[in-house]
Amino acid sequence: MTRFNAFSLLRNALNGHRGWTEQWPEAQPKPAYDVIIVGAGGHGLGAAYYLATQHGITNVAVIDKGWLGGGNTGRNTTIIRSNYLYDESARMFDHSVDLWQGLSQELNYNVMYSNRGCLMLAHTVHDVQSFKRHVHANRLNGVDNRWLTPQECKAYCPPINISPDARYPVMGGALQQRAGTARHDAVAWGYARGAAARGVDIIQNCAVTAIRRGPDGAVIGVDTEKGFIGAKKIAVSASGHNTQVMATAGVRLPLESVPLQALVSEPVKPVFPCVVMSNAVHAYCSQSDKGELVIGSGTDQYVSYSQRGGLPLIEHTIAAISEVFPIFNRMRMLRKWGGITDNTPDRSPIVGKTPVQNLYVNCGWGTGGFKATPGAAHTLAWTVARDEPHPINAPFTLDRFRTGRLIDEAAAAAVAH
Ligand SMILES: Cc1cc2nc3c(=O)[nH]c(=O)nc-3n(C[C@H](O)[C@H](O)[C@H](O)COP(=O)(O)OP(=O)(O)OC[C@H]3O[C@@H](n4cnc5c(N)ncnc54)[C@H](O)[C@@H]3O)c2cc1C
């Protein structure tokens, strides 16, 4: 694997960039592996990377029905934060934020992590109370978060309209300074490159059609479009399609697959210095390094496997953005797209073992799993390698929907992200 550094860049610049080697080979399936991971998104590729680097397990295949990173990893608005209310979530997401800090160096691949800060605007008395509660809870958990007055919000992000005449006036905001954004494709590519360099096979355009179990009930492999592939262990990380894949092993998951949309504007000069989220009007915004405003909102109101989503939600989102940032009223939008998110009733993920021996699942990240990519991948790899949960993912069991020990970030946030 060519290492990226100043010398390799210079050498290749001088020879017309003919010296770069492929980032990962086009692998064909072997008859069997120690571990198969279904889904080559950031979570699946990351888990393969950590299996290889931290647990010495390299006889691994990551199988995807499309191209790697073509699912939600390549479709999301890349917001990273860890200011969740409950202790379990704070630990999981802050573990990720810790890993994000050094990820480019770890992978020798620039994932463009930018901790530009995430400001969550409060527009109602309920918002103020709820966000202040988050600030206090976060601080108790060692997660940075602080309260800003409307004037401080405006000073931090000048495009915000803090006029008291607004339909939903800004009453303050909670700022997590360590939060930010990263380049989504680069995360998938960096993990893929790192995993492949250590012997992991990345098999693209090969849908897994069924998980096969042996007479004792344990997994024995997967049926795919390229035939049967044996495996001692299988981890499923297929986001919007988790229920379908897991159903083939006889495991029912408490998930609903719902489209989530995003859109970008025409590019403009740097004008928007951070991430701003507004739950009450329900829209959020940041500016990409290319200059486009990256805009997102809530999920569509219906379950679907379509990656398109409905126009009414986009119209609502644009109206919300215009309300909070009137300077963007006349900007043109370039394109919109959707992804299929897998949502649990409490909007917290399920990462761990399943009732089927040697079958593991990483699902339920819904609208907010990009930020968790390194942490989810790291704890999933641990769980698969040791057949026991890492302390951080231990509370995120499938069983909590039977025992009632929920981690109800849905109720805490009143909006998932
Ligand atoms: C529009 C949008 C905006 C979002 N914004 C944010 C945000 O700002 N911040 C945030 O934290 N999160 C955000 N999310 C959520 C985030 O994108 C996801 O939670 C996260 O990327 C999930 O990563 P993953 O690796 O689990 O899934 P994916 O990247 O979706 O990977 C799953 C892979 O499984 C593959 N697959 C499915 N079925 C099969 C099969 N049968 N066989 C083989 N392969 C299969 C798919 O092709 C896919 O590549 C957003 C999502 C969307 C759609």
Side-chain angles (χ1 to χ4, degrees):
M1 176 175 83
T2 312
R3 273 195 74 74
F4 293 120
N5 56 36
F7 297 113
S8 62
L9 281 175
L10 184 64
R11 199 173 48 246
N12 280 287
L14 293 176
N15 77 3
H17 290 288
R18 284 188 296 272
W20 296 114
T21 52
E22 65 181 358
Q23 300 289 293
W24 53 82
E26 187 69 47
Q28 290 306 318
K30 289 193 249 174
Y33 292 90
D34 290 339
V35 179
I36 284 180
I37 298 173
V38 183
H43 289 218
L45 292 164
Y49 173 82
Y50 292 118
L51 275 174
T53 54
Q54 305 214 335
H55 304 281
I57 302 173
T58 54
N59 186 21
V60 176
V62 187
I63 306 179
D64 202 287
K65 68 181 173 121
W67 65 94
L68 72 84
N72 290 349
T73 296
R75 295 167 180 272
N76 75 89
T77 47
T78 81
I79 292 168
I80 295 168
R81 62 185 180 85
S82 59
N83 52 355
Y84 286 76
L85 184 68
Y86 290 104
D87 299 351
E88 298 88 341
S89 320
R91 271 197 295 276
M92 171 60 92
F93 288 102
D94 217 43
H95 178 51
S96 280
V97 170
D98 285 344
L99 292 173
W100 279 112
Q101 312 290 328
L103 196 59
S104 295
Q105 289 76 12
E106 155 107 30
L107 298 176
N108 180 232
Y109 206 93
N110 189 1
V111 301
M112 296 168 75
Y113 175 63
S114 152
N115 53 349
R116 58 185 67 180
C118 176
L119 178 60
M120 302 179 78
L121 296 178
H123 299 275
T124 63
V125 173
H126 171 78
D127 277 354
V128 173
Q129 291 169 341
S130 158
F131 291 170
K132 285 191 173 173
R133 184 178 174 214
H134 275 73
V135 169
H136 298 314
N138 287 162
R139 288 193 173 180
L140 286 173
N141 277 316
V143 176
D144 72 302
N145 200 358
R146 68 190 162 99
W147 181 253
L148 301 188
T149 63
Q151 290 71 28
E152 288 170 330
C153 291
K154 177 91 180 158
Y156 193 72
C157 185
I160 297 173
N161 174 23
I162 58 164
S163 158
D165 299 332
R167 187 163 65 100
Y168 287 107
V170 173
M171 298 173 75
L175 172 66
Q176 184 180 22
Q177 186 65 68
R178 278 203 320 155
T181 58
R183 169 95 180 125
H184 48 15
D185 299 319
V187 177
W189 298 336
Y191 274 130
R193 177 172 174 267
R198 288 160 179 87
V200 171
D201 281 353
I202 299 166
I203 302 163
Q204 304 182 71
N205 299 309
C206 175
V208 169
T209 50
I211 294 172
R212 266 209 235 166
R213 298 169 61 179
D216 64 350
V219 298
I220 55 167
V222 290
D223 289 319
T224 75
E225 289 176 335
K226 296 185 179 175
F228 175 76
I229 310 173
K232 293 178 188 156
K233 294 182 175 183
I234 299 172
V236 177
S237 187
S239 96
H241 295 277
N242 277 311
T243 46
Q244 293 173 320
V245 178
M246 291 294 286
T248 65
V251 179
R252 282 188 71 208
L253 295 173
L255 295 174
E256 283 190 337
S257 292
V258 185
L260 176 67
Q261 302 180 77
L263 65 159
V264 290
S265 72
E266 59 188 333
V268 289
K269 286 189 175 170
V271 61
F272 204 81
C274 57
V275 178
V276 176
M277 307 179 69
S278 169
N279 294 359
V281 298
H282 215 169
Y284 61 92
C285 184
S286 66
Q287 187 171 18
S288 76
D289 294 324
K290 281 189 287 181
E292 301 158 333
L293 294 181
V294 181
I295 297 169
S297 68
T299 53
D300 278 20
Q301 303 295 313
Y302 47 85
V303 292
S304 168
Y305 285 111
S306 156
Q307 288 185 323
R308 296 184 61 180
L311 200 55
L313 212 101
I314 291 295
E315 288 175 339
H316 166 83
T317 305
I318 294 295
I321 290 291
S322 303
E323 204 161 319
V324 185
F325 314 105
I327 68 159
F328 297 143
N329 273 347
R330 295 173 64 192
M331 279 187 75
R332 277 173 291 218
M333 296 299 135
L334 277 192
R335 60 184 184 277
K336 78 167 184 80
W337 65 91
I340 309 159
T341 62
D342 52 336
N343 301 275
T344 57
D346 64 358
R347 295 295 187 273
S348 287
I350 302 165
V351 187
K353 298 174 68 164
T354 70
V356 175
Q357 202 187 330
N358 296 338
L359 178 63
Y360 309 86
V361 74
N362 169 59
C363 68
W365 289 99
T367 60
F370 176 71
K371 60 177 77 64
T373 302
H378 178 245
T379 54
L380 178 64
W382 171 295
T383 308
V384 173
R386 301 183 181 216
D387 195 35
E388 65 181 33
H390 186 283
I392 290 178
N393 68 305
F396 294 95
T397 58
L398 176 57
D399 207 37
R400 74 178 186 273
F401 298 98
R402 190 180 58 78
T403 63
R405 181 70 180 86
L406 302 181
I407 306 166
D408 205 343
E409 292 295 342
V415 64
H417 271 298

